[in-house]
Amino acid sequence: MLTAEQVKTHWWRAAVAVAAVAVVTFSRDDPFAGLFALVPILVWCAAARSGRAGVVTGLVLLALLAWFVLPRELGLAGPWVPAAIEVYWLHTTLAAVVCAIGSRKPGPWLLPAFGGFVVTGGVLVAGWQEAPSDEGVLPGPAQLRIIEDIDCGSGGCWRVAESTGDHAAEVWQAHLTARNFTPAPALDGVTRFCRTTGLLVNHQTCAEVRPLAPDSARVEWYVE
């Protein structure tokens, strides 16, 4: 049973860990990336010494976690929004640096940083020709009836949303614009919208909006 002194000394561990788990619950589009991002902060909460350095380092790790998870899940875009793949290697490396500074023992934190690069390679290989995730395209406009599908070709796979409803194409264009997609050069006469994230490595998702009739449209999206 914990004593009052132990609670007073170690309360920050539980508080930071719970806050980190709360942040990761927002990682709906890339849940594995969110769970992986939890590892450094949970290790720190379990292994760090108590005191001001432990609390401050834990809060820095929490802020770092929020930066790598929340902007993307909120549909934001731009060069300051980390891409999901950067969670595995860049976030892990930065978190290892923060932990090394906080503990003043850099050696033990080299392993998590190396592990982040290994996992990054595995994720890239596993998802080489897989269809993209929702990527901010879905959930689609609520006023449309949407049927989802996946198509594949020699260059990989892409997601498809067949939609019906009044002014379907225009509704999709407004939806993508609201999700921080911007107009891109048309491809074979088809309207395109793209969104880019990534601090050091660009991750660009493009969606093509094909009007089929006044009340139907087909949206295809892929990662370039």
Side-chain angles (χ1 to χ4, degrees), residues 35-53:
L35 290 174
F36 189 81
L38 268 179
V39 174
I41 198 167
L42 293 182
V43 171
W44 178 260
C45 289
R49 294 180 179 179
S50 295
R52 180 177 297 179

Side-chain angles (χ1 to χ4, degrees), residues 95-168:
V97 170
V98 171
C99 292
I101 294 173
S103 65
R104 298 182 181 180
K105 295 180 179 179
W109 298 103
L110 294 177
L111 182 59
F114 176 74
F117 283 93
V118 173
V119 173
T120 299
V123 170
L124 289 174
V125 171
W128 182 250
Q129 288 192 321
E130 285 190 354
S133 58
D134 292 347
E135 296 288 347
V137 178
L138 295 179
Q143 63 267 47
L144 300 180
R145 295 179 295 278
I146 300 173
I147 299 176
E148 301 175 36
D149 199 359
I150 296 176
D151 280 349
C152 294
S154 58
C157 297
W158 56 93
R159 297 276 296 279
V160 178
E162 300 277 1
S163 312
T164 56
D166 292 340
H167 308 288

